[in-house]
């Protein structure tokens, strides 16, 4: 994992109880679930379901920010994620709702479903986790194979401006809802990607635990997305622009591709 600034120093200080974890595992799986819970994009998926059918699969569904909403509203929705920890949080929510959706722990680049879906969703700019065009095209081709003829793939991204300020951004502080901890999120921007570092501290029963993680987000723009689509068998159906919650740029593009 790549660290810079504050997190790099924490790592090098050798403090006790510093746990390094993957961004969607252990403490950080719970952290994501607690802090990312807006549902501004759900009405768009409902609109697509009315048009294309309600047999839906969400790739990289995480702890179910979207999936739980779709299930509550009666859709036939399934989910897939590579993180067992994210899926365990989702399973717990499903059992409280008394629903039993198909949930699969697998890699979205390779997964072959026995069912063909009307809609496959890839949300929360998860496409930015894929490091190059070869991998993005591999994903698109795999989505294509898991869709029925005439089914659609919807994914989102942020159109990165040509002129971006490189270097470290001002860190963001986030206090846990239960006031038993906080996190500091820092980001360093390079030409083609940014590195995100998170330092998170909890204080439970007078015991302090420190967690750090790092991930890369690859920067995309409209031209790059068009180039990827051109190299697949998908037909571009339409693109929506929504005001996204929790993103500085605000505008998020939602691309709908048809098989
Ligand atoms: C930004 S979160 C999105 C979670 C959820 N879709 C949402 O909208 O809140 C990204 C998710 O992608 C999952 N992921 C990353 N790479 C994956 C892969 N190759 N296959 C399946 N899931 C993957 C992570 O485990 C994580 O849960």
């Amino acid at each position: 994992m790549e660290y810079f600034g504050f997190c790099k120093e924490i790592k090098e200080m050798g403090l006790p109880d510093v746990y390094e974890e993957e961004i969607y595992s252990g403490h950080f799986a719970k952290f994501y679930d607690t802090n990312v819970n807006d549902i501004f994009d759900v009405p768009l998926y409902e609109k697509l379901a009315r048009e294309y059918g309600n047999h839906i699969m969400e790739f990289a569904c995480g702890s179910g920010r979207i999936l739980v909403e779709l299930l509550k509203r009666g859709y036939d929705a399934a989910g897939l994620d590579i993180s067992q920890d994210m899926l365990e949080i989702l399973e717990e929510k499903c059992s409280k709702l008394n629903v039993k959706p198909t949930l699969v722990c697998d890699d979205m680049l390779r997964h072959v479903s026995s069912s063909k879906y009307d809609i496959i969703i890839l949300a929360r700019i998860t496409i930015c986790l894929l490091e190059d065009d070869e991998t993005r095209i591999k994903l698109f081709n795999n989505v294509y194979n898991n869709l029925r003829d005439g089914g659609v793939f919807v994914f989102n991204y942020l159109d990165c401006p040509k002129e971006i300020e490189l270097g470290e951004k001002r860190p963001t502080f986030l206090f846990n809802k239960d006031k038993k901890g906080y996190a500091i999120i820092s980001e360093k921007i390079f030409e083609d990607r940014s590195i995100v570092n998170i330092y998170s501290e909890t204080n439970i029963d007078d015991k302090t635990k420190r967690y750090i993680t790092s991930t890369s987000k690859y920067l995309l723009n409209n031209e790059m997305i068009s180039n990827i689509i051109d190299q697949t068998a998908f037909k571009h159906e339409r693109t929506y622009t929504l005001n996204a919650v929790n993103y500085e740029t605000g505008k998020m593009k939602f691309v709908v591709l048809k098989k």
Side-chain angles (χ1 to χ4, degrees):
M1 291 199 217
E2 284 177 82
Y3 293 102
F4 59 89
F6 169 72
C7 280
K8 188 164 183 274
E9 282 175 36
I10 290 279
K11 207 164 171 323
E12 288 168 0
M13 273 164 80
L15 289 170
D17 294 321
V18 176
Y19 303 93
E20 185 178 31
E21 285 182 330
E22 295 290 334
I23 181 93
Y24 300 113
S25 297
H27 172 76
F28 289 105
K30 289 188 209 118
F31 177 84
Y32 183 93
D33 185 61
T34 315
N35 293 299
V36 186
N37 40 30
D38 53 82
I39 50 167
F40 74 96
D41 47 344
V42 172
L44 174 62
Y45 309 128
E46 291 196 271
K47 182 178 153 74
L48 293 174
R50 284 194 290 276
E51 206 173 330
Y52 298 98
N54 79 352
H55 189 41
I56 302 170
M57 160 59 90
E58 186 188 357
F59 272 8
C61 63
S63 58
R65 182 182 67 85
I66 295 165
L67 209 64
V68 166
E69 282 306 309
L70 294 177
L71 292 165
K72 273 190 203 161
R73 298 171 199 200
Y75 293 93
D76 168 22
L80 170 146
D81 203 279
I82 206 162
S83 160
Q84 188 62 52
D85 292 353
M86 293 294 259
L87 288 175
E88 272 171 23
I89 299 172
L90 172 55
E91 272 161 13
E92 212 177 300
K93 292 183 196 169
C94 288
S95 73
K96 279 188 191 143
L97 280 176
N98 217 8
V99 287
K100 281 200 175 75
T102 301
L103 298 179
V104 190
C105 188
D106 203 356
D107 185 344
M108 63 183 172
L109 297 172
R110 288 178 192 86
H111 179 72
V112 182
S113 171
S114 52
S115 184
K116 299 276 183 191
Y117 293 94
D118 297 325
I119 301 175
I120 296 182
I121 300 170
L122 184 70
R124 204 94 208 166
I125 60 165
T126 299
I127 191 170
C128 296
L129 300 177
L130 305 177
E131 62 187 311
D132 52 29
D133 273 1
E134 196 185 327
T135 318
R136 292 171 203 130
I137 291 167
K138 188 171 174 178
L139 168 73
F140 280 38
N141 289 338
N142 196 38
V143 169
Y144 192 90
N145 293 335
N146 283 287
L147 281 171
R148 68 159 169 88
D149 289 340
V152 289
F153 173 37
V154 54
F155 69 94
N156 54 23
Y157 71 99
L158 294 167
D159 176 28
C160 179
K162 293 254 174 322
E163 301 283 315
I164 48 163
E165 212 179 304
L166 303 180
E168 277 181 47
K169 284 170 63 175
R170 210 184 142 89
T172 312
F173 287 79
L174 206 68
F175 288 95
N176 287 358
K177 287 200 174 117
D178 56 10
K179 305 268 186 262
K180 287 184 176 159
Y182 67 92
I184 302 171
I185 304 164
S186 26
E187 189 170 5
K188 188 169 180 178
I189 307 195
F190 298 86
E191 297 281 347
D192 62 334
R193 65 174 182 141
S194 74
I195 302 176
V196 177
N197 281 181
I198 308 178
Y199 170 80
S200 175
E201 202 171 283
T202 59
N203 193 294
I204 297 166
D205 299 332
D206 277 339
K207 177 136 181 72
T208 300
K209 284 190 176 173
R210 304 174 178 91
Y211 301 89
I212 52 170
T213 194
S214 172
T215 190
S216 282
K217 287 198 298 189
Y218 293 85
L219 307 179
L220 292 167
N221 59 40
N222 295 344
E223 209 181 312
M224 290 168 80
I225 294 291
S226 296
N227 278 335
I228 298 164
I229 299 169
D230 288 348
Q231 293 178 68
T232 70
F234 275 118
K235 176 180 155 289
H236 179 251
E237 189 80 334
R238 66 191 90 107
T239 298
Y240 296 92
T241 304
L242 298 189
N243 279 323
V245 179
N246 285 343
Y247 283 92
E248 283 167 31
T249 54
K251 303 277 181 212
M252 193 181 274
K253 304 267 183 187
F254 287 72
V255 183
V256 182
L257 303 178
K258 191 167 182 179
K259 175 167 176 177

